[in-house]
Amino acid sequence: GQSLEQPSEVTAVEGAIVQINCTYQTSGFYGLSWYQQHDGGAPTFLSYNALDGLEETGRFSSFLSRSDSYGYLLLQELQMKDSASYFCAVSARYSTLTFGKGTMLLVSP
Amino acid sequence: DAGITQSPRHKVTETGTPVTLRCHQTENHRYMYWYRQDPGHGLRLIHYSYGVKDTDKGEVSDGYSVSRSKTEDFLLTLESATSSQTSVYFCAISDPGQNYNEQFFGPGTRLTVL
């Protein structure tokens, strides 16, 4: 089976940096993805890490350590619109995803 | 935005009735997925398809069946709906030849079983 752990809620202020951690236990690991979901909306893809290291896309970065079964999403220069739920997910064959339960990020002024 | 639609968007039904949800894509993506989302559980994979007529079970497949007779359509059927199947259902697509690791999600179907 597969399981992922991430914090249920994180709070931060505009302009700050926040890190959302994700640990996983899995068999058949292909990579770690991150998705954003605004309330009531469809999840949208943010990033994917197959190899150890940091991937940067604009204000968002994602990190993976396969040996530690650990990854994180780093959000910089936080904006109010970043208030959303963030899900880590491990991918397997046919790109199937097993999601964590999500982290609700609340950004305040 | 990827062309994915789901129908219906909202449905209320009664326990014991069959329900079919439709996912339609215009992207010609090979892989399609059905997830359900419930508070406290995140998204959980129900079934997926890796080609026309090729499907397999996901994490929470009991009480659900799927069919894919053509590339663009993936149907999810609740054979006899139960209150525990009240949920938001998302369809997603991806393709091994294009951004393989990115899934595009449809807008969701909110299903209530009374």
Side-chain angles (χ1 to χ4, degrees):
Chain A
Q2 298 174 319
S3 66
L4 298 93
E5 294 289 333
Q6 55 181 126
S8 59
E9 186 174 305
V10 173
T11 59
V13 297
E14 270 189 303
I17 300 172
V18 71
Q19 179 173 314
I20 300 174
N21 298 319
C22 175
T23 58
Y24 59 88
Q25 292 184 310
T26 184
S27 57
F29 178 84
Y30 282 45
L32 186 70
S33 299
W34 289 91
Y35 284 78
Q36 179 191 61
Q37 184 181 34
H38 285 97
D39 194 30
T44 56
F45 173 83
L46 292 176
S47 67
Y48 174 78
N49 295 68
L51 303 174
D52 288 359
L54 191 68
E55 296 279 345
E56 298 181 70
T57 308
R59 295 187 296 114
F60 294 0
S61 304
S62 58
F63 172 82
L64 176 66
S65 169
R66 295 175 69 115
S67 60
D68 295 324
S69 298
Y70 164 75
Y72 66 73
L73 179 69
L74 190 73
L75 299 85
Q76 303 182 75
E77 301 173 16
L78 281 174
Q79 303 174 9
M80 296 293 290
K81 68 178 182 180
D82 297 327
S83 291
S85 291
Y86 293 83
F87 295 88
C88 59
V90 295
S91 62
R93 193 178 182 204
Y94 299 119
S95 296
T96 57
L97 294 174
T98 299
F99 285 86
K101 295 182 179 181
T103 299
M104 184 176 294
L105 171 63
L106 302 173
V107 180
S108 58
Chain B
D1 290 343
I4 312 170
T5 57
Q6 294 184 230
S7 58
R9 294 292 313 281
H10 301 271
K11 186 171 182 65
V12 180
T13 190
E14 294 189 348
T15 298
T17 60
V19 176
T20 296
L21 308 183
R22 180 186 185 226
C23 178
H24 178 77
Q25 59 140 332
T26 57
E27 304 296 320
N28 200 36
H29 279 27
R30 183 175 171 186
Y31 300 161
M32 299 185 75
Y33 315 85
W34 277 107
Y35 295 91
R36 62 178 287 175
Q37 186 172 30
D38 306 289
H41 288 279
L43 293 107
R44 292 180 291 174
L45 182 66
I46 305 172
H47 281 278
Y48 64 98
S49 170
Y50 48 95
V52 174
K53 300 191 187 301
D54 294 321
T55 65
D56 205 349
K57 296 178 180 180
E59 179 187 355
V60 290
S61 60
D62 287 350
Y64 302 94
S65 62
V66 289
S67 67
R68 191 166 178 207
S69 59
K70 47 187 178 178
T71 300
E72 55 265 38
D73 289 326
F74 193 32
L75 304 180
L76 176 71
T77 297
L78 290 65
E79 290 138 12
S80 178
T82 68
S83 59
S84 65
Q85 294 175 311
T86 292
S87 187
V88 179
Y89 292 84
F90 286 101
C91 173
I93 63 174
S94 72
D95 193 89
Q98 311 173 41
N99 297 319
Y100 176 73
N101 297 298
E102 178 176 357
Q103 287 192 13
F104 299 93
F105 283 79
T109 294
R110 186 173 296 274
L111 176 68
T112 302
V113 183
L114 302 176

